[in-house]
């Protein structure tokens, strides 16, 4: 006999989850009414407190208000987390002081951003955060890198171009040296669009170009900097409250849009709470802040943060209306529930259902299933037309769910066949349209889950908001020159141990139209992208 949870148990679990999220927002500064809350899952609560970087805020508010759901054990654990946060930030301040003293004058003042720089500005206990790394800017990044190398920092990664210069570490202290700080904004027409998958059944054409980007560089940050005031930071330089608030808004927006939820929630309330504190700082000049927003085209980021703060904390940080586009406290062009986010690093857009789902890690199965994948039977002879045009005669059948991103509404007609074999699942994908010179097609298959533990050689987890694992890639070239089809497969033995090849397999198939010389796996694309979510089943039985 199969046992199922009782309605009472399901209701209690749902109520407990809701209480934890309410406490989480309360820890970040929202008002809270906990009359009906007697106890909570302390492990689940503290995991979220850590994920949202609310260590010190949670401890201080529990100590101040003494809510009855906070047991003696929870108080002790909160104290321990707070002590850890204090130790961590003091360790980073000491490491940064050593680095600053070692760099030559040509490197200019070394400036930390985000993380400990907020505490340096305020000296407030609430702003003690646990940062995984120290983000640094320098007038001469190469001199900074050389100085840190002499101090014993090892280089994990070094880049000749892009916003990051190097990632370095010594012991458990990690440092990222920045060349610039990217500021993302939506392409025209996207900010107010409803990008929930359920609002676009069947063929979903997304006629948007990709993200727009400007950058903030060292001198621009240095011009908006001041000495620290927190203990141990008086000799350090940090971005002033206006620049710090801008950088946090930009970071929160980018974190949401690109969906860095491999290991953390998409929205982190500690960051929102810090933005509120900066906006209340005695030196915060809102008109000067809005000039920075205009200068770096950060309106979408500030709009987004305003919407988040209103929904989670019940108040917005910035109050002065800005005619150039940043929000006043009374209006919002897009709420968090419909703010577009990248479906993956290949681009394509989607949106969450509710704000609260952003406070926890995204479930990749939910994200994939919300796309309403096609059910595709694979028996070696049945095939389907992944085409936006009328189907051809014969056995070819139309897929019902097709996603296309293309500013020119350019579609990519293709034919796909799936073969379910004893040792592997195989695919054959044929493009049915030639390209003009200078273009090629690339076909990729992704399994929408992250492999646990070791992975087969050559597999990689793309940078995306869903835990995708690449299972195949094939560069087709130009069908006008190269005929044939892409053949991709993966063996059942390469799947995780828990994977069973006797049930449906979720697969995301992508066909990219790419200009020669352009990278395919970036968020900034202008060419057509065909996305086919599939549930492949062993035979034709439904």
């Amino acid at each position: 006999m199969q046992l199922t949870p009782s309605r009472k148990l399901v209701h209690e679990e749902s109520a407990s989850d809701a209480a934890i999220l309410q406490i989480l927002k309360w820890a970040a500064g929202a008002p809270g009414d906990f009359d009906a809350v007697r106890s909570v899952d302390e492990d689940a609560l503290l995991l979220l407190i850590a994920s949202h970087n609310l260590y010190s805020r949670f401890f201080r508010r529990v100590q101040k208000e003494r809510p009855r759901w906070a047991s003696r054990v929870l108080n002790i654990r909160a104290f321990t987390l707070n002590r850890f946060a204090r130790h961590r930030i003091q360790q980073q301040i000491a490491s940064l002081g050593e680095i600053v003293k070692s760099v030559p004058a040509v490197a200019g003042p070394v400036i930390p951003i985000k993380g400990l720089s907020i505490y340096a500005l305020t000296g407030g206990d609430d702003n003690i955060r646990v940062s995984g790394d120290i983000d640094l800017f320098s007038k001469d990044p190469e001199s900074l890198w050389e100085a840190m190398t002499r101090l014993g920092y090892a280089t994990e990664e070094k880049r000749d171009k892009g916003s990051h210069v190097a990632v370095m570490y010594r012991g458990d202290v990690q440092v990222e040296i920045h060349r610039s700080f990217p500021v993302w904004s939506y392409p025209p027409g996207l900010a107010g669009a409803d990008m929930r998958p359920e609002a676009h059944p069947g063929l979903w054409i997304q006629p948007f170009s990709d993200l727009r980007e400007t950058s903030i560089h060292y001198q621009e940050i240095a011009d908006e900097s001041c000495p620290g005031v927190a203990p141990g930071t008086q000799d350090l330089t940090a971005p002033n409250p206006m620049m710090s608030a801008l950088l946090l808004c930009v970071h929160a927006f980018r974190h949401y849009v690109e969906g860095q939820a491999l290991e953390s929630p998409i929205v982190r309330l500690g960051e929102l709470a810090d933005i509120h504190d900066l906006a209340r700082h005695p030196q915060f000049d809102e008109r000067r802040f809005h000039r920075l927003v205009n200068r770096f085209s950060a309106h979408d980021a500030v709009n987004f943060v305003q919407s988040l703060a209103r929904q989670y904390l019940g108040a917005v940080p910035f109050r002065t209306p800005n005619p150039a586009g940043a929000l006043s406290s009374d209006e919002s062009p897009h709420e968090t529930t419909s703010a577009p986010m990248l479906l993956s690093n290949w681009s394509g857009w989607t949106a969450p259902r509710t704000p609260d789902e952003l406070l926890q890690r995204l479930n990749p199965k939910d994200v994939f299933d919300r796309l309403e994948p096609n059910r595709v039977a694979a028996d070696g002879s049945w095939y389907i037309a992944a085409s936006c045009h009328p189907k051809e005669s014969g056995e070819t059948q139309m897929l019902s769910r097709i996603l296309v991103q293309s500013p020119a509404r350019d579609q990519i007609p293709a034919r796909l066949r799936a073969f379910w074999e004893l040792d592997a699942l195989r695919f054959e994908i044929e493009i049915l349209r030639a390209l003009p010179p200078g273009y090629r097609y690339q076909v990729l298959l992704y399994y929408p889950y992250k492999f646990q533990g070791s992975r087969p050689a050559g597999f990689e987890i793309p940078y995306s908001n869903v835990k995708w694992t690449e299972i195949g890639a094939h560069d087709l070239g130009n069908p006008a020159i190269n005929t044939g089809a892409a053949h991709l497969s993966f063996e059942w033995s390469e799947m995780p141990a828990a994977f069973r090849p006797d049930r449906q397999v979720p697969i995301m198939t992508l066909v990219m139209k790419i200009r020669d010389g352009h990278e395919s796996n970036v968020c900034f694309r202008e060419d057509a992208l065909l996305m086919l979510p599939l549930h492949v089943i062993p035979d034709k039985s439904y």
Side-chain angles (χ1 to χ4, degrees), residues 343 363-374 446-449 466 468 505-509 532-535:
L343 178 62
N363 184 332
K365 182 180 185 301
D366 291 344
V367 174
F368 184 77
D369 287 347
R370 283 186 61 201
L371 296 176
E372 299 176 340
N374 303 276
Y446 284 86
Y447 181 67
Y449 300 92
V466 186
W468 306 87
V505 179
I507 296 291
M508 178 67 89
T509 302
L532 305 173
L534 308 173
H535 272 152

Side-chain angles (χ1 to χ4, degrees), residues 64-85:
K64 180 180 179 180
E65 300 186 21
R66 300 287 180 179
R68 58 185 174 184
W69 46 261
S71 68
R72 180 175 177 273
V73 172
L74 181 61
N75 272 269
I76 294 173
R77 296 175 73 183
F79 170 79
T80 303
L81 286 176
N82 179 61
R83 184 173 60 182
F84 166 71

Side-chain angles (χ1 to χ4, degrees), residues 195 242 267 301 321 342 366 391 511:
M195 301 307 291
M242 291 73 74
V267 170
L342 287 169
D366 291 344
K391 66 180 182 179
V511 181

Side-chain angles (χ1 to χ4, degrees), residues 336-363:
T336 308
T337 49
S338 60
M341 62 191 301
L342 287 169
L343 178 62
S344 71
N345 66 326
W346 324 281
S347 207
W349 296 95
T350 186
R353 283 195 180 100
T354 67
D356 281 355
E357 72 176 307
L358 302 175
L359 299 179
Q360 304 181 70
R361 298 179 186 179
L362 275 182
N363 184 332

Side-chain angles (χ1 to χ4, degrees), residues 74 107 168 297 364 396 499 531 542:
L74 181 61
M168 308 182 74
S297 301
T396 303
F499 182 86
M531 295 171 281
Y542 286 77

Side-chain angles (χ1 to χ4, degrees), residues 55-286:
Y55 299 84
S56 296
R57 292 181 188 272
F58 177 66
F59 170 72
R60 284 166 53 78
R61 196 154 189 188
V62 165
Q63 292 300 301
K64 180 180 179 180
E65 300 186 21
R66 300 287 180 179
R68 58 185 174 184
W69 46 261
S71 68
R72 180 175 177 273
V73 172
L74 181 61
N75 272 269
I76 294 173
R77 296 175 73 183
F79 170 79
T80 303
L81 286 176
N82 179 61
R83 184 173 60 182
F84 166 71
R86 286 179 172 276
H87 169 75
R88 180 67 172 169
I89 202 164
Q90 292 302 324
Q91 179 190 40
Q92 291 186 333
I93 289 172
S95 299
L96 179 56
E98 180 189 27
I99 293 170
V100 167
K101 292 177 181 177
S102 70
V103 297
V106 68
V110 175
I111 305 174
I113 64 169
K114 305 184 294 156
L116 70 84
S117 70
I118 311 302
Y119 172 67
L121 277 180
T122 68
D125 289 344
D126 282 347
N127 303 117
I128 295 175
R129 298 176 58 192
V130 176
S131 299
D133 55 30
I134 306 173
D135 296 279
L136 296 182
F137 271 84
S138 170
K139 185 176 182 179
D140 186 345
E142 195 68 22
S143 294
L144 175 58
W145 175 79
E146 292 173 354
M148 291 182 60
T149 301
R150 290 193 296 271
L151 289 174
Y153 284 83
T155 301
E156 181 178 297
E157 181 182 15
K158 196 166 188 289
R159 302 176 186 175
D160 295 328
K161 58 182 179 179
S163 61
H164 285 74
V165 176
V167 177
M168 308 182 74
Y169 63 92
R170 187 183 67 183
D172 60 352
V173 175
Q174 180 170 305
V175 176
E176 290 189 12
I177 302 175
H178 289 257
R179 185 176 287 111
S180 61
F181 197 79
V183 181
W184 286 4
S185 57
Y186 287 131
L190 182 60
D194 184 353
M195 301 307 291
R196 294 171 301 159
E198 53 268 29
H200 303 273
L203 171 60
W204 183 7
I205 296 180
Q206 301 181 357
F208 306 107
S209 57
D210 287 294
L211 289 161
R212 296 176 294 178
E213 180 179 304
T214 58
S215 295
I216 304 174
H217 296 88
Y218 170 80
Q219 193 57 52
E220 294 158 337
I221 294 176
D223 290 343
E224 297 286 343
S225 295
C226 60
V229 300
T233 69
Q234 292 90 342
D235 295 331
L236 302 179
T237 301
N240 65 29
M242 291 73 74
M243 178 58 81
S244 289
L246 178 70
L247 291 169
L248 289 188
C249 287
V250 167
H251 183 259
F253 180 64
R254 177 173 177 171
H255 194 273
Y256 171 83
V257 169
E258 69 182 353
Q260 296 181 26
L262 292 176
E263 301 297 341
S264 67
I266 287 183
V267 170
R268 290 179 286 196
L269 294 179
E271 200 161 39
L272 290 185
D274 280 347
I275 293 171
H276 264 275
D277 289 347
L278 290 168
R280 305 294 180 267
H281 194 282
Q283 296 177 11
F284 188 83
D285 182 332
E286 195 146 6

Side-chain angles (χ1 to χ4, degrees), residues 453-509:
S454 60
R455 303 190 305 277
F459 279 38
E460 61 178 271
I461 300 173
Y463 201 60
S464 74
N465 66 329
V466 186
K467 299 173 183 178
W468 306 87
T469 300
E470 182 178 327
I471 57 175
H474 188 118
D475 196 329
L476 270 179
N478 191 331
I481 304 170
N482 305 311
T483 59
H487 296 271
L488 304 103
S489 65
F490 64 93
E491 298 181 3
W492 304 123
S493 61
E494 293 179 336
M495 292 292 98
F499 182 86
R500 289 180 54 186
D502 59 346
R503 59 183 60 171
Q504 68 180 15
V505 179
I507 296 291
M508 178 67 89
T509 302

Side-chain angles (χ1 to χ4, degrees), residues 324-337:
L327 290 182
S328 74
S329 60
D330 300 320
E331 58 184 346
S332 174
H334 52 78
E335 291 298 319
T336 308
T337 49

